[in-house]
Short mmCIF file of all heavy atoms in Angstrom, two decimals:
data_model
loop_
_atom_site.label_atom_id
_atom_site.label_comp_id
_atom_site.label_asym_id
_atom_site.label_seq_id
_atom_site.Cartn_x
_atom_site.Cartn_y
_atom_site.Cartn_z
N PRO J 220 193.66 363.23 66.43
CA PRO J 220 193.31 362.28 65.37
C PRO J 220 191.81 362.25 65.10
O PRO J 220 191.01 362.29 66.02
CB PRO J 220 193.80 360.94 65.91
CG PRO J 220 194.08 361.12 67.34
CD PRO J 220 194.23 362.58 67.59
N ASP J 221 191.45 362.20 63.83
CA ASP J 221 190.05 362.06 63.44
C ASP J 221 189.72 360.57 63.36
O ASP J 221 190.53 359.72 63.73
CB ASP J 221 189.78 362.78 62.13
CG ASP J 221 190.67 362.31 60.99
OD1 ASP J 221 191.49 361.40 61.21
OD2 ASP J 221 190.54 362.83 59.87
N GLU J 222 188.54 360.25 62.85
CA GLU J 222 188.11 358.84 62.78
C GLU J 222 189.03 358.02 61.87
O GLU J 222 189.36 356.88 62.18
CB GLU J 222 186.67 358.75 62.28
CG GLU J 222 185.65 359.27 63.25
CD GLU J 222 184.24 359.26 62.68
OE1 GLU J 222 184.04 358.71 61.59
OE2 GLU J 222 183.36 359.80 63.35
N ARG J 223 189.43 358.60 60.76
CA ARG J 223 190.31 357.89 59.83
C ARG J 223 191.66 357.62 60.46
O ARG J 223 192.24 356.54 60.32
CB ARG J 223 190.46 358.69 58.55
CG ARG J 223 191.33 358.01 57.53
CD ARG J 223 191.33 358.76 56.22
NE ARG J 223 192.57 358.48 55.53
CZ ARG J 223 193.36 359.37 54.99
NH1 ARG J 223 193.02 360.63 55.01
NH2 ARG J 223 194.46 359.04 54.39
N ALA J 224 192.21 358.60 61.17
CA ALA J 224 193.51 358.42 61.82
C ALA J 224 193.42 357.36 62.93
O ALA J 224 194.33 356.55 63.09
CB ALA J 224 194.01 359.74 62.39
N ALA J 225 192.32 357.37 63.68
CA ALA J 225 192.14 356.35 64.71
C ALA J 225 192.04 354.97 64.08
O ALA J 225 192.63 353.99 64.57
CB ALA J 225 190.90 356.66 65.55
N TYR J 226 191.31 354.88 62.97
CA TYR J 226 191.18 353.61 62.26
C TYR J 226 192.54 353.13 61.74
O TYR J 226 192.89 351.96 61.85
CB TYR J 226 190.18 353.76 61.11
CG TYR J 226 190.02 352.54 60.25
CD1 TYR J 226 189.49 351.35 60.75
CD2 TYR J 226 190.41 352.55 58.91
CE1 TYR J 226 189.36 350.23 59.97
CE2 TYR J 226 190.28 351.44 58.11
CZ TYR J 226 189.74 350.28 58.64
OH TYR J 226 189.61 349.17 57.85
N ASN J 227 193.34 354.06 61.20
CA ASN J 227 194.67 353.70 60.71
C ASN J 227 195.61 353.31 61.85
O ASN J 227 196.48 352.46 61.67
CB ASN J 227 195.26 354.83 59.88
CG ASN J 227 194.58 354.95 58.53
OD1 ASN J 227 194.04 353.98 58.01
ND2 ASN J 227 194.58 356.15 57.98
N THR J 228 195.43 353.90 63.02
CA THR J 228 196.21 353.49 64.19
C THR J 228 195.87 352.06 64.57
O THR J 228 196.76 351.24 64.85
CB THR J 228 195.95 354.43 65.37
OG1 THR J 228 196.35 355.76 65.01
CG2 THR J 228 196.72 354.00 66.61
N TYR J 229 194.58 351.73 64.56
CA TYR J 229 194.16 350.35 64.85
C TYR J 229 194.73 349.38 63.80
O TYR J 229 195.18 348.29 64.15
CB TYR J 229 192.64 350.23 64.89
CG TYR J 229 191.99 351.00 65.99
CD1 TYR J 229 190.80 351.69 65.77
CD2 TYR J 229 192.54 351.06 67.27
CE1 TYR J 229 190.20 352.41 66.79
CE2 TYR J 229 191.94 351.77 68.28
CZ TYR J 229 190.77 352.44 68.04
OH TYR J 229 190.17 353.16 69.05
N ARG J 230 194.71 349.78 62.56
CA ARG J 230 195.25 348.93 61.50
C ARG J 230 196.76 348.74 61.66
O ARG J 230 197.28 347.64 61.46
CB ARG J 230 194.94 349.53 60.13
CG ARG J 230 193.48 349.44 59.76
CD ARG J 230 193.13 350.22 58.52
NE ARG J 230 193.77 349.67 57.33
CZ ARG J 230 193.77 350.27 56.16
NH1 ARG J 230 193.15 351.43 56.00
NH2 ARG J 230 194.35 349.72 55.12
N ALA J 231 197.46 349.81 62.02
CA ALA J 231 198.91 349.71 62.24
C ALA J 231 199.20 348.79 63.43
O ALA J 231 200.12 347.96 63.36
CB ALA J 231 199.52 351.09 62.47
#
Side-chain angles (χ1 to χ4, degrees):
D221 57 1
E222 291 176 8
R223 181 174 154 228
Y226 177 65
N227 287 334
T228 299
Y229 295 140
R230 289 171 66 189

